[in-house]
Amino acid sequence: MIGVSPAVWRSAAPGRRRAVVIAAEPYAGLLRIEPTGRHAGQRVLAARRGTSPAALLAEAGPDADVLVLSSDEALLTAGPRDLGPGTAVAAARLDAGADDAEGIRRVLRALAQSRPAEQRLLDALDAAGTLTLTEALTGARAELRGTGGERLFTPGAVRPVPALWPALDTAVSLGVPDGRVTVKGAPVVVGAYPAARAALRRRLAPLTSYPLVLAVRDGRAAPVRAVKAGSDLAAAALAELFADHPGLCAVTGAAYGADTAAAGAEAALHLLFGGPGHRIRFALPCATTTVRSAAGGPVLAGPAPGPARGWRRPGPGVSRVRPKRPAYPRTH
């Protein structure tokens, strides 16, 4: 059995009497909702093929907190007519090409791991409106100004969870940074054709081991050389991508979360590139970046990486990387 705690999907208003999870057959039979003090009842509903979102949500009831675990777009994007005015829904997207049981476990782990840190970031943004991003090895520094967007689930609406994947799908984020931001870690790529996604992941693979500094000004990013034999390769790949698809150099925001499609992925702050209008969208983790509040205290501490071979700190006069040829595969 897979235990599901209603606490992990951060459902909204008090007064919800039932906790309901909707998942596809046969995986619904593997789920068990853990009792809570605030919900009088718990129920798992099986989303059978051909069943409408309206019928499932009507069965959940008007006083329910609902978690949807699915790869079905109709369930993930249910509208007000399907929900009714009182139902609060959290929708977690599963990778359509993966085993649903493992996908469910990854989503639940990501929710449990990311919720406390995400809430600290949101509270700090709400209190001061800005956060400072710093990275010890590269000396990068940037300011993140909050969007002031909706923080809580509201009855009558669907709210995607966890934060990272829906941010790539909807461009909802913590805000857009300004300054120099260090990215390091495995990139998250969605949209486009599988071959294009795989190609971009391969080109950006050096970021898993080497940090790369991005200069972000007025919402647009340019890679800055940081490591001679490591992230220079990823910097060149980004420069080629931005040259081939100029709109993708726009940083659409920042989000905290984990890649739920990757086994063992750690939650981190990510920079988001591309939005709903782009055929390919990606997020670059800032796994070694420390996030500080306006008062200077750390809200999110990133471990400092060890010096990489060939390292040199980029100075103010370091030139941005320019592509030699448009080698990135087309996404359309």
Side-chain angles (χ1 to χ4, degrees):
M1 297 294 289
I2 302 174
V4 185
S5 171
V8 302
W9 71 79
R10 278 203 316 147
S11 195
R16 306 292 93 188
R17 293 201 294 265
R18 287 182 291 177
V20 177
V21 174
I22 297 174
E25 289 186 315
Y27 303 101
L30 301 177
L31 301 175
R32 174 182 56 83
I33 302 178
E34 298 173 359
T36 67
R38 61 177 286 190
H39 295 99
Q42 300 86 32
R43 190 177 182 189
V44 178
L45 298 179
R48 299 176 179 87
R49 185 179 298 275
T51 306
S52 70
L56 285 167
L57 292 166
E59 190 175 354
D63 60 350
D65 280 337
V66 181
L67 173 64
V68 173
L69 297 166
S70 180
S71 58
D72 184 346
E73 286 296 323
L75 277 172
L76 295 169
T77 58
R81 291 183 180 180
D82 298 323
L83 272 66
T87 305
V89 176
R93 182 183 302 277
L94 303 180
D95 186 355
D99 176 76
D100 280 358
E102 180 57 27
I104 288 170
R105 291 187 179 95
R106 288 177 182 174
V107 164
L108 294 177
R109 283 197 297 268
L111 286 171
Q113 292 169 1
S114 64
R115 182 189 171 191
E118 182 191 8
Q119 192 58 51
R120 289 197 301 272
L121 290 170
L122 292 172
D123 290 345
L125 274 174
D126 288 341
T130 60
L131 296 172
T132 301
L133 313 182
T134 60
E135 209 276 344
L137 179 61
T138 64
R141 181 184 179 90
E143 298 296 321
L144 177 68
R145 186 172 299 277
T147 59
E150 181 185 0
R151 303 300 191 205
L152 298 175
F153 294 90
T154 55
V158 173
R159 181 69 179 258
V161 294
L164 179 59
W165 279 101
L168 283 167
D169 288 336
T170 64
V172 174
S173 77
L174 297 170
V176 177
D178 188 77
R180 290 194 170 192
V181 182
T182 299
V183 293
K184 183 178 184 293
V188 183
V189 185
V190 299
Y193 297 111
R197 295 198 301 269
L200 182 55
R201 289 192 188 100
R202 285 194 301 270
R203 297 300 304 275
L204 298 181
L207 290 178
T208 303
S209 302
Y210 296 92
L212 171 66
V213 177
L214 298 179
V216 183
R217 297 295 182 196
D218 299 322
R220 301 178 74 83
V224 176
R225 296 186 185 276
V227 179
K228 291 180 181 177
S231 62
D232 274 2
L233 300 175
L238 273 179
E240 291 164 2
L241 174 63
F242 294 162
D244 204 23
H245 304 275
L248 284 182
C249 71
V251 180
T252 54
Y256 184 84
D259 180 1
T260 55
E266 297 290 335
L269 185 72
H270 288 69
L271 288 191
L272 310 177
F273 296 82
H278 291 98
R279 295 294 300 276
I280 195 165
R281 304 177 298 283
F282 61 98
L284 299 179
C286 307
T288 59
T289 292
T290 296
V291 182
R292 298 184 182 277
S293 67
V299 181
L300 184 69
R309 182 179 298 176
W311 163 260
R312 71 174 186 276
R313 176 175 294 183
V318 174
S319 62
R320 295 172 179 176
V321 179
R322 293 180 173 83
K324 296 182 179 179
R325 54 185 177 83
Y328 181 76
R330 297 280 178 179
T331 61
H332 54 274

